[in-house]
């Protein structure tokens, strides 16, 4: 983004907020914003995964069958979709901070209340509400973080922040393994509720509103200057008016949803939805079914579970992808990632008889797949203008959740049809090719969107 006005001189009466962010070092205040958004996504990962860790205890304590747990396990997914799709338009209308604080408070209260459930029906309802809060929190954390980043480091920093999700899910597993024997399964949900409530208070006290949002909504120069002074010091003291130049086409007065589905963004929006949906088809298909498939492929259950656990570890690779996205064409970088995902998942299906190569193929596939998928929110945030950014990111994440539901049913259907081990992995690889094609189409439709 460019501006004809200088942001570095106190004598200047007008400054471009993005130029201020670009011209000054990443400040301690911006690192506080990063840390708060990272914690939101970390707790999102922890609470999303929590139900899976306590499921065996529910079966034992309540005497329920595995099929009876299906509504509990899927309730949060439906809540995640609903929360994401509702929160984006709200954040583009009311602001990023208000929706973030509210969503963290909602999933904290609901998760804490879940720990006092005494039947499946109550737990299912509370997991749905938890999902709404979780679904609303993540896209707005991505959006707010993106809007405080300098252009040259936006994808790297946003992807690094998003790594909190797989780390939270993995950390939750280790913590739950220790807590459940000592304090019972309810303690996991109590912890998953209390910590977000503390974080909600910190967000209320420490988190600023997005400066880009404040400019877009015509907030006072004094309020914007107060925030930017913590980043640029005295450089903005003399500024009387803040502006923001968008290198994205946008029509004034449009709602977030109208921007996202406008003629300029419609094809790119649909392709983002397709790519993210297909990525979650793969992720949930393999996360939910790999231990079963490995057992049927000849591995003992313990070994199969350990091998499958390698799959979600690769999300931290998104930092490297973010670095590449900041320097090269982001659509092409992630498209290559999805193409390699398809190839590596097909490879898993060819290694049923070799434990060593199976371990390697699962880890490689997980690293590539999670890296590509974790890079998608940064891609979406960079694609849309400020007026539609929260809606665009949130709807991509929300639509994608239905891919997670579809992925679970896909493998169930393939097993009913008695497909072989390698045939199942060949079919599951196909969504990776569809995601690749979607990002190629997005690039062709909007060639200047991710140069």
């Amino acid at each position: 983004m460019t501006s004809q006005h200088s942001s570095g001189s106190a004598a200047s009466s007008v400054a471009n907020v993005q130029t201020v962010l670009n011209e000054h070092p990443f400040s301690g205040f911006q690192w506080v914003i990063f840390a708060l958004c990272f914690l939101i996504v970390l707790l999102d990962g922890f609470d999303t995964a929590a139900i899976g860790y306590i499921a065996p205890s529910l079966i034992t304590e309540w005497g329920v069958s595995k099929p009876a747990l299906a509504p509990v396990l899927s309730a949060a997914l439906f809540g995640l979709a609903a929360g994401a799709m509702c929160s984006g338009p709200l954040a583009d209308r009311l602001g990023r901070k208000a929706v973030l604080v509210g969503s963290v408070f909602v999933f904290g209260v609901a998760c804490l209340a879940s720990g006092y459930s005494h039947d499946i029906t109550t737990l299912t309802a509370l997991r749905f509400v938890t999902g709404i809060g979780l679904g609303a929190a993540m896209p707005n954390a991505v959006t707010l973080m993106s809007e405080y980043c300098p252009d040259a480091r936006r994808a790297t920093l946003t992807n690094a922040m998003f790594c909190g999700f797989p780390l939270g899910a993995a950390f939750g597993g280790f913590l739950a393994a220790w807590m459940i024997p000592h304090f019972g399964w309810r303690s996991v949900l109590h912890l998953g509720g209390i910590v977000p409530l503390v974080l909600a208070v910190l967000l209320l006290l420490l988190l600023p509103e997005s400066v880009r949002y404040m400019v877009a909504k015509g907030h006072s120069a004094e309020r914007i200057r107060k925030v930017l002074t913590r980043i640029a010091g005295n450089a903005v003291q003399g500024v009387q008016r803040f502006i923001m130049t968008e290198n994205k086409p946008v029509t004034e007065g449009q709602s977030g949803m109208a921007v996202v589905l406008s003629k300029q963004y419609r094809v790119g929006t649909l392709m983002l939805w397709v790519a993210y949906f297909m990525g979650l088809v793969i992720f949930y298909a393999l996360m939910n079914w790999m231990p079963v498939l490995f057992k049927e492929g000849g591995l003992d259950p313990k070994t199969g579970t350990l091998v499958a656990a390698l799959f979600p570890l690769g999300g931290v690779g998104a930092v490297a992808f973010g670095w590449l996205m900041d320097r090269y064409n982001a659509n092409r970088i992630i498209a290559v990632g999805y193409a390699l995902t398809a190839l590596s998942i097909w490879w898993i299906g060819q290694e049923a008889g070799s434990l060593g190569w199976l371990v390697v193929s699962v880890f490689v596939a997980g690293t590539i797949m999670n890296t590509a998928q974790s890079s998608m929110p940064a891609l979406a945030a960079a694609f849309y203008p400020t007026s539609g950014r929260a809606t665009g990111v949130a709807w991509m994440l929300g639509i994608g959740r239905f891919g997670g539901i579809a992925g679970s049913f896909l493998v169930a259907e393939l097993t009913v049809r008695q497909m072989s081990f390698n045939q199942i992995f060949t079919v599951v690889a196909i969504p990776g090719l569809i995601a690749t094609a979607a990002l190629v189409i997005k690039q062709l439709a909007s060639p200047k969107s991710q140069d």
Side-chain angles (χ1 to χ4, degrees):
M1 296 183 185
T2 59
S3 171
Q4 296 177 349
H5 305 281
S6 169
S7 65
S9 169
S12 175
S13 61
V14 181
N16 184 326
V17 291
Q18 189 59 46
T19 306
V20 173
L21 295 175
N22 289 344
E23 291 182 353
H24 290 84
F26 203 75
S27 66
F29 182 57
Q30 285 163 293
W31 281 118
V32 169
I33 297 168
F34 177 92
L36 291 171
C37 290
F38 181 87
L39 286 172
I40 292 169
V41 179
L42 182 85
L43 291 173
D44 201 324
F46 178 89
D47 276 12
T48 298
I51 194 68
Y53 300 131
I54 68 173
S57 300
L58 295 179
I59 293 172
T60 302
E61 183 173 319
W62 288 351
V64 296
S65 64
K66 290 180 182 177
L69 277 181
V72 181
L73 295 173
S74 61
L77 280 175
F78 284 101
L80 284 160
M85 294 164 79
C86 293
S87 71
L90 275 177
D92 281 330
R93 179 175 297 180
L94 304 176
R96 288 42 165 147
K97 179 176 179 176
V99 175
L100 261 177
V101 173
S103 60
V104 172
F105 181 78
V106 166
F107 82 70
V109 169
C111 192
L112 182 62
S114 298
Y116 296 97
S117 301
H118 292 286
D119 57 70
I120 286 288
T121 304
T122 303
L123 184 58
T124 301
L126 288 169
R127 286 303 296 171
F128 177 76
V129 177
T130 303
I132 290 175
L134 294 170
M138 185 186 291
N140 284 292
V142 170
T143 300
L144 183 68
M145 187 67 242
S146 172
E147 292 178 343
Y148 269 103
C149 290
D151 287 332
R153 299 172 66 189
R154 178 170 288 117
T156 304
L157 288 164
T158 305
N159 280 14
M161 183 273 293
F162 199 75
C163 286
F165 185 82
L167 290 175
F171 176 68
F174 293 118
L175 200 59
W178 174 74
M179 290 180 70
I180 291 172
H182 288 86
F183 309 108
W185 63 267
R186 296 176 189 277
S187 64
V188 177
L189 296 176
H190 292 158
L191 180 68
I194 292 169
V195 177
L197 292 177
V198 174
L199 179 60
V201 175
L202 291 176
L203 294 175
L204 201 59
L205 297 174
L206 301 177
L207 191 71
E209 181 56 89
S210 160
V211 283
R212 294 184 62 83
Y213 175 85
M214 287 193 285
V215 173
K217 291 296 183 180
H219 288 206
S220 70
E222 182 181 354
R223 184 177 175 189
I224 298 167
R225 191 188 309 113
K226 185 177 179 181
V227 174
L228 285 178
T229 298
R230 303 185 69 177
I231 295 171
N234 294 329
V236 294
Q237 285 305 311
V239 177
Q240 300 302 314
R241 186 166 70 92
F242 291 93
I243 63 169
M244 177 180 64
T245 53
E246 296 271 16
N247 63 356
K248 316 287 181 187
V250 60
T251 303
E252 291 298 324
Q254 284 187 326
S255 68
M257 203 68 224
V259 171
V260 167
L261 295 178
S262 64
K263 184 178 179 181
Q264 303 99 306
Y265 297 101
R266 191 176 302 144
V267 174
T269 291
L270 293 175
M271 292 306 102
L272 285 170
W273 291 359
V274 169
Y276 200 75
F277 180 98
M278 291 299 165
L280 287 190
V281 167
I282 295 171
F283 183 79
Y284 281 96
L286 298 186
M287 282 296 293
N288 291 341
W289 286 96
M290 263 201 296
V292 175
L293 294 174
F294 288 161
K295 180 182 177 183
E296 293 176 353
L299 293 182
D300 67 86
K302 182 179 179 181
T303 303
T305 300
L306 289 173
V307 174
L310 295 172
F311 186 75
L313 292 179
V316 179
V319 178
F321 252 40
W323 185 88
L324 291 171
M325 289 164 65
D326 281 330
R327 285 155 180 79
Y328 306 103
N329 184 287
N331 288 318
R332 293 171 188 158
I333 295 294
I334 303 178
V336 169
Y338 278 124
L340 293 174
T341 293
L343 179 63
S344 59
I345 288 169
W346 172 83
W347 180 28
I348 295 174
Q350 312 308 305
E351 302 298 343
S354 171
L355 179 60
W357 282 113
L358 186 65
V359 168
V360 173
S361 64
V362 169
F363 181 73
V364 169
T367 298
I368 298 171
M369 189 271 141
N370 283 290
T371 293
Q373 193 71 6
S374 296
S375 300
M376 287 293 291
L379 184 74
F383 179 60
Y384 296 108
T386 301
S387 58
R389 184 170 292 117
T391 298
V393 174
W395 269 70
M396 183 192 77
L397 294 175
I399 294 289
R401 298 297 178 179
F402 294 104
I405 296 165
S408 299
F409 284 106
L410 171 65
V411 179
E413 180 62 25
L414 297 178
T415 55
V416 168
R417 293 175 182 269
Q418 298 185 324
M419 285 193 171
S420 65
F421 185 84
N422 68 318
Q423 287 174 328
I424 289 174
F425 280 93
T426 299
V427 172
V428 174
I430 293 172
L433 298 178
I434 297 173
T436 302
L439 292 181
V440 170
I441 293 169
K442 176 179 177 289
Q443 173 63 30
L444 293 174
S446 308
K448 295 182 180 180
S449 67
Q450 300 290 344
D451 291 331

Short mmCIF file of all heavy atoms in Angstrom, two decimals, residues 3 17 31 36 82 96 118 123 157 159 163 191 209 212 242 244 268 271 309 317 319 332 356 358 388 404 430:
data_model
loop_
_atom_site.label_atom_id
_atom_site.label_comp_id
_atom_site.label_asym_id
_atom_site.label_seq_id
_atom_site.Cartn_x
_atom_site.Cartn_y
_atom_site.Cartn_z
N SER A 3 1.11 5.70 0.01
CA SER A 3 0.45 6.94 0.38
C SER A 3 1.33 8.09 -0.05
O SER A 3 2.55 8.01 -0.02
CB SER A 3 0.22 7.00 1.88
OG SER A 3 -0.23 8.27 2.26
N VAL A 17 -2.31 4.98 7.90
CA VAL A 17 -2.04 4.06 9.02
C VAL A 17 -1.18 2.88 8.61
O VAL A 17 -0.32 2.43 9.38
CB VAL A 17 -3.36 3.56 9.67
CG1 VAL A 17 -4.07 4.68 10.39
CG2 VAL A 17 -4.27 2.89 8.65
N TRP A 31 3.66 -6.88 19.75
CA TRP A 31 3.92 -8.23 20.27
C TRP A 31 2.90 -8.62 21.35
O TRP A 31 2.54 -9.79 21.47
CB TRP A 31 5.35 -8.33 20.82
CG TRP A 31 6.39 -8.50 19.76
CD1 TRP A 31 7.42 -7.66 19.46
CD2 TRP A 31 6.50 -9.60 18.84
NE1 TRP A 31 8.15 -8.15 18.41
CE2 TRP A 31 7.63 -9.34 18.01
CE3 TRP A 31 5.77 -10.77 18.62
CZ2 TRP A 31 8.04 -10.20 16.99
CZ3 TRP A 31 6.17 -11.64 17.60
CH2 TRP A 31 7.28 -11.36 16.80
N LEU A 36 -1.72 -12.02 22.72
CA LEU A 36 -3.14 -12.19 23.09
C LEU A 36 -3.89 -13.00 22.03
O LEU A 36 -4.68 -13.90 22.37
CB LEU A 36 -3.79 -10.82 23.28
CG LEU A 36 -3.33 -10.02 24.51
CD1 LEU A 36 -3.88 -8.60 24.45
CD2 LEU A 36 -3.77 -10.71 25.81
N ALA A 82 -21.45 -22.22 12.78
CA ALA A 82 -22.43 -21.16 13.05
C ALA A 82 -21.75 -19.92 13.64
O ALA A 82 -22.03 -18.78 13.23
CB ALA A 82 -23.50 -21.68 14.02
N ARG A 96 -13.65 -5.49 15.75
CA ARG A 96 -13.00 -6.79 16.03
C ARG A 96 -12.94 -7.08 17.54
O ARG A 96 -13.18 -8.19 17.98
CB ARG A 96 -11.57 -6.79 15.50
CG ARG A 96 -11.32 -6.84 14.00
CD ARG A 96 -12.16 -6.03 13.12
NE ARG A 96 -11.62 -5.90 11.77
CZ ARG A 96 -12.38 -5.80 10.71
NH1 ARG A 96 -13.70 -5.84 10.82
NH2 ARG A 96 -11.84 -5.64 9.52
N HIS A 118 -24.46 -33.73 33.53
CA HIS A 118 -24.72 -35.06 34.09
C HIS A 118 -25.42 -35.98 33.12
O HIS A 118 -25.82 -37.09 33.48
CB HIS A 118 -25.53 -34.93 35.38
CG HIS A 118 -24.77 -34.30 36.50
ND1 HIS A 118 -23.78 -34.96 37.21
CD2 HIS A 118 -24.80 -33.04 37.02
CE1 HIS A 118 -23.26 -34.16 38.13
NE2 HIS A 118 -23.87 -32.98 38.03
N LEU A 123 -24.63 -32.08 27.83
CA LEU A 123 -23.26 -31.90 27.34
C LEU A 123 -23.26 -31.54 25.86
O LEU A 123 -22.48 -30.67 25.42
CB LEU A 123 -22.44 -33.17 27.59
CG LEU A 123 -20.95 -33.10 27.21
CD1 LEU A 123 -20.25 -31.98 27.97
CD2 LEU A 123 -20.26 -34.44 27.49
N LEU A 157 3.71 -13.44 10.26
CA LEU A 157 3.22 -13.21 11.62
C LEU A 157 1.83 -13.83 11.83
O LEU A 157 1.55 -14.42 12.88
CB LEU A 157 3.18 -11.71 11.91
CG LEU A 157 4.55 -11.04 12.08
CD1 LEU A 157 4.44 -9.53 11.95
CD2 LEU A 157 5.17 -11.43 13.42
N ASN A 159 0.50 -16.41 10.21
CA ASN A 159 0.65 -17.86 10.26
C ASN A 159 1.26 -18.32 11.59
O ASN A 159 0.87 -19.34 12.16
CB ASN A 159 1.52 -18.36 9.11
CG ASN A 159 0.74 -18.47 7.80
OD1 ASN A 159 -0.36 -17.95 7.69
ND2 ASN A 159 1.31 -19.15 6.83
N CYS A 163 -0.46 -20.85 14.49
CA CYS A 163 0.15 -22.10 14.98
C CYS A 163 -0.30 -22.43 16.40
O CYS A 163 -0.11 -23.55 16.86
CB CYS A 163 1.67 -22.01 14.93
SG CYS A 163 2.35 -22.10 13.28
N LEU A 191 -10.82 -26.40 33.45
CA LEU A 191 -9.64 -25.63 33.06
C LEU A 191 -9.88 -24.92 31.73
O LEU A 191 -9.53 -23.74 31.57
CB LEU A 191 -8.42 -26.55 32.94
CG LEU A 191 -7.11 -25.86 32.54
CD1 LEU A 191 -6.62 -24.95 33.66
CD2 LEU A 191 -6.03 -26.90 32.22
N GLU A 209 -8.65 -1.87 19.57
CA GLU A 209 -9.41 -2.10 18.35
C GLU A 209 -8.45 -1.99 17.16
O GLU A 209 -7.40 -1.35 17.26
CB GLU A 209 -10.55 -1.06 18.24
CG GLU A 209 -11.44 -1.20 17.00
CD GLU A 209 -12.04 -2.58 16.89
OE1 GLU A 209 -13.13 -2.80 17.45
OE2 GLU A 209 -11.42 -3.45 16.23
N ARG A 212 -7.00 -0.09 11.44
CA ARG A 212 -7.56 -0.05 10.08
C ARG A 212 -9.08 0.02 10.15
O ARG A 212 -9.73 0.74 9.39
CB ARG A 212 -7.10 -1.26 9.27
CG ARG A 212 -5.60 -1.28 9.00
CD ARG A 212 -5.22 -2.47 8.11
NE ARG A 212 -5.86 -2.36 6.81
CZ ARG A 212 -5.40 -1.63 5.79
NH1 ARG A 212 -4.28 -0.93 5.93
NH2 ARG A 212 -6.04 -1.60 4.64
N PHE A 242 -6.14 10.68 9.90
CA PHE A 242 -5.56 9.41 9.46
C PHE A 242 -6.37 8.87 8.28
O PHE A 242 -7.61 8.92 8.28
CB PHE A 242 -5.56 8.39 10.60
CG PHE A 242 -4.59 8.74 11.70
CD1 PHE A 242 -5.02 9.46 12.81
CD2 PHE A 242 -3.26 8.37 11.63
CE1 PHE A 242 -4.14 9.80 13.83
CE2 PHE A 242 -2.37 8.70 12.64
CZ PHE A 242 -2.81 9.42 13.74
N MET A 244 -6.43 5.69 4.98
CA MET A 244 -6.05 4.32 4.68
C MET A 244 -6.30 4.09 3.20
O MET A 244 -7.43 4.25 2.73
CB MET A 244 -6.89 3.36 5.52
CG MET A 244 -6.65 1.89 5.25
SD MET A 244 -7.70 0.90 6.32
CE MET A 244 -9.35 1.35 5.74
N GLY A 268 -13.03 -15.46 -6.26
CA GLY A 268 -12.00 -15.73 -5.26
C GLY A 268 -12.59 -16.25 -3.97
O GLY A 268 -12.04 -17.17 -3.35
N MET A 271 -13.62 -19.88 -4.39
CA MET A 271 -12.44 -20.75 -4.47
C MET A 271 -11.76 -20.91 -3.10
O MET A 271 -11.26 -21.98 -2.78
CB MET A 271 -11.45 -20.21 -5.49
CG MET A 271 -11.94 -20.27 -6.94
SD MET A 271 -12.48 -21.94 -7.48
CE MET A 271 -14.27 -21.80 -7.39
N ALA A 309 -0.94 -40.25 15.47
CA ALA A 309 -0.71 -39.03 16.26
C ALA A 309 0.36 -38.14 15.64
O ALA A 309 0.47 -36.96 15.99
CB ALA A 309 -0.31 -39.39 17.69
N GLY A 317 4.92 -25.73 10.57
CA GLY A 317 5.54 -25.43 9.28
C GLY A 317 4.91 -24.25 8.58
O GLY A 317 5.48 -23.72 7.60
N VAL A 319 4.80 -21.30 9.53
CA VAL A 319 5.67 -20.12 9.65
C VAL A 319 6.56 -20.02 8.41
O VAL A 319 6.74 -18.94 7.84
CB VAL A 319 6.51 -20.18 10.93
CG1 VAL A 319 7.45 -18.98 11.02
CG2 VAL A 319 5.62 -20.24 12.16
N ARG A 332 -0.01 -19.41 -5.35
CA ARG A 332 0.78 -20.50 -5.94
C ARG A 332 1.50 -21.31 -4.87
O ARG A 332 1.60 -22.54 -4.97
CB ARG A 332 1.79 -19.92 -6.93
CG ARG A 332 1.11 -19.32 -8.16
CD ARG A 332 2.11 -18.55 -9.03
NE ARG A 332 1.42 -17.83 -10.10
CZ ARG A 332 1.93 -16.79 -10.74
NH1 ARG A 332 3.12 -16.32 -10.39
NH2 ARG A 332 1.25 -16.19 -11.70
N GLY A 356 8.13 -48.61 8.94
CA GLY A 356 9.07 -47.50 8.86
C GLY A 356 8.64 -46.46 7.84
O GLY A 356 8.60 -45.25 8.14
N LEU A 358 5.68 -46.15 6.59
CA LEU A 358 4.37 -45.63 6.97
C LEU A 358 4.52 -44.45 7.93
O LEU A 358 3.85 -43.41 7.78
CB LEU A 358 3.53 -46.73 7.64
CG LEU A 358 2.07 -46.37 7.96
CD1 LEU A 358 1.28 -46.12 6.68
CD2 LEU A 358 1.41 -47.48 8.78
N GLY A 388 -14.55 -5.84 4.47
CA GLY A 388 -15.10 -7.19 4.38
C GLY A 388 -14.17 -8.27 4.89
O GLY A 388 -14.46 -9.46 4.74
N GLY A 404 -15.13 -30.72 7.40
CA GLY A 404 -14.75 -31.64 8.46
C GLY A 404 -15.82 -32.70 8.70
O GLY A 404 -15.51 -33.89 8.88
N ILE A 430 -7.80 -37.06 -3.31
CA ILE A 430 -8.43 -36.27 -4.38
C ILE A 430 -8.81 -34.85 -3.94
O ILE A 430 -8.60 -33.89 -4.69
CB ILE A 430 -9.64 -37.03 -4.97
CG1 ILE A 430 -9.15 -38.28 -5.71
CG2 ILE A 430 -10.45 -36.13 -5.91
CD1 ILE A 430 -10.26 -39.21 -6.17
#
